[in-house]
Each structure stands twice: as structure tokens, then as C-alpha cells.
């Protein structure tokens, strides 16, 4: 057999086993007198012992020392080789054993995804694995020449691999050399111009050398950057955000929420329990909660959050309205968001007032009055509960406008509106139906009780005194009263009945209350 010499090799070979019935094509790398590295499509089908045929050489008996997905490291057992390997290593020189182990180590390190550089005590590379060479596009002739660490770092600078401004490149390389010389094991993330991030760590070796590891962490750093971006965004949103872990301890609390709970950034970092936050100075409670119920609310609120998803409206001691959304997270924790809806509620209430009230008097407008009357009519039909209506009109209102002007007329309308509000009961509803016309809805009120309310309002209106052009004068109102009856077809009939009674009051001299009475039945012909 021709002499095998240690060298970097690239030969075609064939793995033969199963008594010559099976074979696998392979490429032989790093062939020496003792061992070789074989590369094939898959190393899974290679047996522990086989024969290796090389072109122009004898067949060698091999045993597997190590294996990976696509490579196996083998030692030679063929008697024709210079030294016959044995299981216990007897008869082999220390130098040959070292070479075999180094070959196995080098082959193994070539297949890890982490870049590895072994430096001697002079900080010159004695081993550079394939991942490092590919990561930094380092030519084999440079890698195999035992380059210094300065040469390796300068290579990265020269190919523009570092995401460092040109004026700072030299300082960056010098600083990296200083850190490696010092043997500082602190990991450093190096960003590359292609967007990748490599985590570099230096480990001092017992012989004075260094082991440098270059681990790709692009995805980890990207997720970390995205997480930081998300946290920064949550930190500055206008709504309060509180993240609780599965034990309901605060894992994140943004600026708005820290201000709400009066928690410092340092205290928030201690992950306070939600139970302690919700009990803090009664920062928020249920709206319109009785004083004797305040002490119980924190416990109820904690139970709500434990139960999971819900929406709860809260009120702060200074009257702000907060809408809290609780969402259950996949990790068993909770996300609470606090939205200040005070302004929204104020605007909604203002819009509702504009839509339902008369701007001059503040009374309900005609549309809202009729809508409320319709609801009471439904209850009357379903439960036969009494309901009555008063219709009011300011007497001789046209002459007030003509004599004193519309501004004084408006004052008269507002004065009568005030008289209606003062004379009605708490459950009654007053509306301005027309120019000087008003109506009062009296739920669950019979005709006799409605007369009492009407008379009270009439007397209050009669006591009104208005001033115009240094003249003081009074006004009066006429009131028609009607109670719902089963013979009526609906609210139009009820309003019509009260209106008829109002006209009758005016016809009888005004400043009086007249109750509507149904007309007598028509006489039968036989009578």
C-alpha cells in the first residue's frame, strides 16, 4: 500500500460492508497514517466496522471513532497500515494518539454552528473551525497560517463586516484585542453590516491561551429589540397597562399605571402583588359605592381579576371615571388596561342632553317627552297602572311678547318651567311641547292626585313676578288634566284628552285647572 501522509485530502472512496454486498460512496478528507474523515450523503447507515476502498490503494479496515449527520471519523485496523490501531491504544505513540484525537476534535468542531477559535499563549490561532471561516469569509490559506488575533479582527474590518462607523473601526479592533488579552469572559454582541448579530465570548485556557466562541444570536437579539420597542411603546401610551403573572404579581407596569397607583419605578421592579395595589389608598372603586362597602371592594376586585375576562367601570376619589379591561393571557396571567373615559362620558352626556332637552328651559323636549309617555303607556296596558298627563299653556302669552318683547317672553317661559319643576313630584317628568306649551307626565297617578299636582303648579305660576321697562307684572297658566283609560287608543288620544281639557280651561276664563271627562254615551233611539 502506498504511504499515507498527514495532509488535507480530497479523495474519492467507497465504504464496503455486509460481506461486500453493500457500499456507500464517500469523500475522504484529512487522510493520515492513523485515521481519516469520511463525508457522505448521510452517516446514519454506516456500520461501526467496514472496509474502505481508495483509488490506487489497498482496501483498509476501518472502525468508527465519531460520527455526525454527514461525516464519520475512522481509525485504520488494516495490518498493511503503518500502525495497527487497537481498542486499548497499546503500541501507539503518544504523538500518533494526539494526532488522532486532534483530527476527531477538529472534525467535530467543524460541524457545530458556533464559530470557534483556539488561541495559544501568544494569541495566535492554532484552530479555526469551519463555522468561523464561513461566518467571516476567512480564506483557508489565512486560517491555516496560524494568524494572530489582530490579523483575524483586521480581516473583519477590511471586508466591512462590522457595523461600526469608519472613524471608529481602528478603535473597535484595538478594544477587542485588549478584551481578549485581558481574558474578559463578558459576552459582547457584535453587529454585522448584513444585519446579523454574533455573540462573542472569550474563555481563558489553562495553558495561557484563549478560546473564542462566536454564536449567531440574530433572532434572539431581534426579538429582544422588538420586545424593548414594544415595552417602550407600552410605557408611553395614554392608557394604563398592567401585566400580571399567573400568581397575579405585576410583571410590567407602564408609566400611566405607575402614576395611577402611585408606585415608583424601583417599587414596580419588585413585582408587587395585585392584591397590594388594589388595596392602596382606595385609588379606584365601583361608582356610587356606599361608604360601608368600600372596605370590601378590594377583595371583590381581586376575585374578579382571578375569574378572568371582564370589563369593569371604576371611579377615582377625585371623580374620574376609569374603564378597566381584564384579559386572560396564554401563560395564565392577566393583562389589565385602564382607560380614562371621563371626557367621553361627559361628551356623551352633553350630546344626550342636547338631543333630549330644550335649550331655553332645560326641560325635556317634545320628542323625549313623547318617548317617555310611550313607555308609561306600555306599562299601563300591561299592568293597568294609572298614568295621567297635564297640558299647560301661558295665558295671554302673545300680548306679553307684543308689549314687552321676546326677551321678556323668554323670561316668562323660563319662569313657568321653574314653577313646573318646583310643583311636580320627584317621579314626574316635565317637557316643553311648543312655544309656550308645557306637559307633565305623572306615572302611576290617578286623576284625583293629578289635580293636586296641577293646582300646585298653577299657584306657583300665579306667584311669578316679572320686570319689564320698570314695570312689574304677573302671569298665569291654564292646565288641562287627563288620566289614561282603556277606551283610549294610545298616547295621542291621552294627549288629545288633556289638550281638550286645556282649551276648556281657557274658555272658562283661564288661570284654572280642568280635568277631562269622557263624553256621555249617545242616547239610544228607543229613549
Amino acid at each position: 500500500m502506498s504511504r499515507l501522509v498527514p495532509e488535507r485530502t480530497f479523495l474519492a472512496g467507497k465504504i464496503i460492508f455486509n460481506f461486500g454486498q453493500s457500499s456507500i460512496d464517500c469523500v475522504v478528507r484529512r487522510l493520515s497514517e492513523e485515521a481519516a474523515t469520511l463525508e457522505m450523503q448521510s452517516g446514519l447507515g454506516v456500520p461501526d466496522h467496514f472496509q474502505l476502498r481508495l483509488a490506487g490503494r489497498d482496501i483498509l479496515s476501518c472502525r468508527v471513532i465519531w460520527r455526525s449527520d454527514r461525516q464519520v471519523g475512522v481509525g485504520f485496523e488494516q495490518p498493511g497500515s503503518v500502525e495497527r490501531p487497537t481498542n486499548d491504544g497499546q503500541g501507539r505513540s503518544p504523538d500518533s494518539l494526539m494526532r488522532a484525537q486532534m483530527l476527531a476534535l477538529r472534525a467535530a468542531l467543524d460541524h457545530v454552528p458556533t464559530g470557534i477559535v483556539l488561541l495559544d499563549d501568544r494569541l495566535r490561532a492554532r484552530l479555526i473551525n469551519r463555522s468561523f471561516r464561513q461566518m467571516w469569509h476567512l480564506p483557508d490559506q489565512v486560517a491555516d497560517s496560524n494568524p494572530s488575533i489582530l490579523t483575524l479582527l483586521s480581516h473583519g474590518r477590511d471586508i466591512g463586516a462590522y457595523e461600526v462607523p469608519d472613524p471608529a473601526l481602528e478603535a473597535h479592533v484595538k478594544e477587542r484585542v485588549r478584551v481578549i488579552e485581558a481574558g474578559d469572559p463578558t459576552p459582547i454582541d457584535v453587529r454585522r453590516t448584513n444585519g446579523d448579530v454574533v455573540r462573542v465570548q472569550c474563555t481563558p485556557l489553562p495553558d495561557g491561551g484563549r478560546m473564542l466562541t462566536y454564536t449567531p444570536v440574530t433572532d434572539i437579539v431581534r426579538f429582544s429589540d422588538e420586545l424593548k420597542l414594544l415595552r417602550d411603546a407600552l410605557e408611553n401610551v395614554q392608557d394604563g397597562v398592567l401585566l400580571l403573572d399567573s400568581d397575579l404579581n405585576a410583571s410590567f407596569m407602564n408609566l400611566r399605571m405607575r402614576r395611577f397607583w402611585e408606585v415608583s419605578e424601583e417599587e414596580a421592579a419588585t413585582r408587587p402583588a395585585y392584591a397590594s395595589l388594589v388595596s392602596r389608598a382606595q385609588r379606584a372603586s365601583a361608582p356610587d359605592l356606599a361608604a360601608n362597602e368600600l372596605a370590601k371592594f378590594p377583595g371583590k376586585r381581586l376575585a374578579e381579576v382571578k375569574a378572568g375576562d371582564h370589563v369593569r367601570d371604576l371611579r377615582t376619589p377625585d371623580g374620574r371615571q376609569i374603564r378597566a379591561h381584564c384579559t386572560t393571557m396564554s401563560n395564565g396571567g392577566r393583562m389589565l388596561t385602564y382607560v380614562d373615559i371621563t371626557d367621553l362620558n361627559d361628551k356623551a352626556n352633553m350630546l344626550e342632553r342636547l338631543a333630549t332637552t330644550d335649550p331655553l328651559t332645560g326641560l325635556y323636549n317634545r320628542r323625549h317627552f313623547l318617548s317617555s309617555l310611550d313607555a308609561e303607556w306600555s306599562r299601563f296596558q300591561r299592568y293597568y297602572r294609572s298614568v295621567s298627563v297635564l297640558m299647560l299653556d301661558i295665558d295671554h302669552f302673545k300680548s306679553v311678547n307684543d308689549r314687552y318683547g321676546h326677551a321678556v317672553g323668554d323670561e316668562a317661559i323660563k319662569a313657568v318651567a321653574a314653577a313646573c319643576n318646583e310643583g311636580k313630584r320627584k317621579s314626574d317628568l316635565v317637557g316643553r311641547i311648543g312655544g309656550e306649551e308645557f306637559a307633565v307626565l305623572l306615572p302611576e297617578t290617578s286623576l284625583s292626585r293629578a289635580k293636586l299636582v296641577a293646582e300646585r303648579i298653577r299657584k306657583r305660576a300665579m306667584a311669578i313676578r316679572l320686570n319689564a321697562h320698570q314695570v312689574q307684572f304677573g302671569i298665569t297658566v291654564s292646565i288641562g288634566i287627563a288620566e289614561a283609560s282603556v277606551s283610549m287608543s294610545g298616547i295621542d288620544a291621552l294627549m288629545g284628552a288633556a289638550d281638550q281639557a286645556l282649551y276648556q280651561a281657557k274658555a272658562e276664563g283661564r288661570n284654572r285647572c280642568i280635568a277631562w271627562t269622557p263624553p256621555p254615551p249617545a242616547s239610544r233611539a228607543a229613549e
Side-chain angles (χ1 to χ4, degrees):
M1 183 181 85
S2 60
R3 180 174 176 80
L4 302 178
V5 294
E7 59 180 348
R8 296 184 68 85
T9 343
F10 191 81
L11 299 175
K14 189 178 288 289
I15 297 171
I16 302 171
F17 57 97
N18 194 20
F19 303 102
Q21 300 298 311
S22 303
S23 65
I24 298 174
D25 291 331
C26 66
V27 173
V28 182
R29 300 180 183 275
R30 301 185 185 88
L31 180 63
S32 74
E33 296 179 349
E34 303 290 337
T37 298
L38 309 183
E39 188 171 291
M40 67 288 299
Q41 288 263 340
S42 172
L44 296 178
V46 178
D48 291 337
H49 295 270
F50 58 86
Q51 291 181 317
L52 176 65
R53 177 181 294 163
L54 299 176
R57 303 177 188 270
D58 294 337
I59 294 177
L60 303 175
S61 294
C62 305
R63 61 183 176 85
V64 175
I65 299 173
W66 59 268
R67 69 176 69 229
S68 66
D69 290 343
R70 299 185 62 184
Q71 286 191 342
V72 294
V74 299
F76 298 137
E77 297 179 332
Q78 177 65 25
S81 62
V82 175
E83 292 179 355
R84 178 180 176 81
T86 60
N87 290 336
D88 58 6
Q90 292 180 359
R92 298 174 64 181
S93 66
D95 186 56
S96 65
L97 286 172
M98 181 75 70
R99 283 201 308 271
Q101 291 172 0
M102 281 297 294
L103 284 170
L105 176 62
R106 183 186 295 273
L109 292 180
D110 272 346
H111 283 82
V112 297
T114 299
I116 296 176
V117 177
L118 296 182
L119 303 174
D120 59 21
D121 56 357
R122 295 176 301 157
L123 300 187
R124 299 190 71 87
R126 57 187 176 185
L127 185 147
I128 301 176
N129 76 340
R130 185 183 302 175
S131 294
F132 182 91
R133 301 177 192 220
Q134 293 174 345
M135 189 180 297
W136 300 101
H137 306 292
L138 184 67
D140 286 343
Q141 60 268 28
V142 177
D144 294 336
S145 65
N146 300 113
S148 68
I149 186 60
L150 178 59
T151 301
L152 293 177
L153 293 172
S154 297
H155 169 76
R157 175 202 64 195
D158 295 340
I159 65 173
Y162 306 134
E163 194 183 70
V164 177
D166 289 343
L169 276 172
E170 287 297 331
H172 173 77
V173 171
K174 289 180 180 179
E175 175 61 18
R176 296 296 305 127
V177 172
R178 186 197 65 78
V179 168
I180 293 169
E181 287 177 344
D184 187 347
T186 305
I188 297 175
D189 288 345
V190 176
R191 293 181 180 267
R192 305 184 59 192
T193 51
N194 64 359
D196 292 344
V197 181
V198 180
R199 183 158 294 166
V200 184
Q201 188 165 16
C202 175
T203 304
L205 300 177
D207 63 357
R210 303 283 188 268
M211 181 176 73
L212 306 180
T213 57
Y214 292 74
T215 307
V217 292
T218 305
D219 289 342
I220 296 173
V221 172
R222 182 182 295 122
F223 291 149
S224 177
D225 289 345
E226 290 175 354
L227 179 60
K228 183 179 182 303
L229 184 64
L230 177 61
R231 289 177 71 93
D232 288 345
L234 290 177
E235 179 72 7
N236 295 287
V237 295
Q238 293 301 306
D239 300 333
V241 179
L242 175 64
L243 299 182
L244 305 175
D245 60 21
S246 56
D247 296 322
L248 299 188
N249 296 321
S251 57
F252 174 78
M253 196 183 309
N254 74 342
L255 178 62
R256 189 67 177 260
M257 192 64 88
R258 293 197 302 272
R259 288 176 176 173
F260 179 81
W261 293 116
E262 297 181 348
V263 171
S264 67
E265 192 169 354
E266 292 74 20
E267 185 181 357
T270 66
R271 303 169 68 94
Y274 178 69
S276 69
L277 295 175
V278 78
S279 302
R280 181 173 298 220
Q282 298 295 341
R283 293 296 303 153
S285 60
D288 304 322
L289 195 63
N292 60 348
E293 294 292 323
L294 282 174
K296 301 177 183 177
F297 181 75
K300 293 180 179 179
R301 183 73 188 121
L302 182 61
E304 286 178 345
V305 172
K306 283 183 178 179
D309 298 357
H310 67 275
V311 178
R312 149 74 80 172
D313 283 349
L314 304 169
R315 186 182 296 275
T316 63
D318 60 357
R320 305 293 292 177
Q321 292 175 286
I322 305 295
R323 179 155 294 167
H325 292 256
C326 177
T327 304
T328 302
M329 310 293 285
S330 59
N331 64 353
R334 303 287 186 271
M335 180 174 74
L336 296 177
T337 57
Y338 280 28
V339 183
D340 191 327
I341 59 171
T342 308
D343 293 340
L344 292 176
N345 277 357
D346 290 346
K347 289 178 181 177
N349 293 335
M350 180 184 69
L351 291 174
E352 183 178 2
R353 285 195 299 272
L354 291 174
T356 60
T357 60
D358 170 56
L360 177 63
T361 62
L363 300 177
Y364 288 114
N365 58 23
R366 179 183 182 89
R367 184 180 65 178
H368 184 75
F369 180 86
L370 293 178
S371 175
S372 301
L373 177 57
D374 190 58
E376 286 300 324
W377 181 266
S378 297
R379 278 188 282 272
F380 162 72
Q381 286 188 310
R382 186 177 296 114
Y383 305 113
Y384 298 104
R385 292 178 178 174
S386 300
V387 58
S388 297
V389 170
L390 309 182
M391 292 289 291
L392 290 80
D393 191 85
I394 301 177
D395 295 330
H396 304 295
F397 182 72
K398 186 176 183 302
S399 64
V400 173
N401 272 338
D402 292 343
R403 180 178 299 180
Y404 304 112
H406 289 282
V408 176
D410 288 345
E411 291 300 317
I413 289 174
K414 289 191 285 186
V416 172
C420 291
N421 275 326
E422 293 166 1
K424 76 176 185 66
R425 301 165 306 177
K426 188 175 181 179
S427 60
D428 299 337
L429 185 148
V430 183
R432 184 184 177 195
I433 303 303
E436 72 275 17
E437 270 193 318
F438 303 85
V440 183
L441 171 62
L442 299 92
E444 300 189 19
T445 304
S446 64
L447 187 63
S448 58
R449 291 178 178 270
K451 289 178 180 178
L452 297 177
V453 176
E455 188 62 27
R456 189 161 58 242
I457 292 174
R458 186 191 68 81
K459 289 179 179 178
R460 288 183 179 274
M462 192 170 58
I464 294 171
R465 289 294 179 268
L466 298 173
N467 295 310
H469 310 304
Q470 299 180 344
V471 175
Q472 188 180 75
F473 66 95
I475 55 174
T476 59
V477 296
S478 299
I479 303 176
I481 312 164
E483 180 185 4
S485 65
V486 292
S487 63
M488 292 179 178
S489 58
I491 62 172
D492 290 341
L494 177 58
M495 291 284 287
D499 206 36
Q500 289 181 26
L502 171 61
Y503 281 119
Q504 185 178 347
K506 285 182 173 293
E508 293 183 9
R510 294 181 172 82
N511 190 22
R512 65 193 62 218
C513 303
I514 298 294
W516 178 81
T517 54
S523 300
R524 287 181 292 183
E527 298 175 348

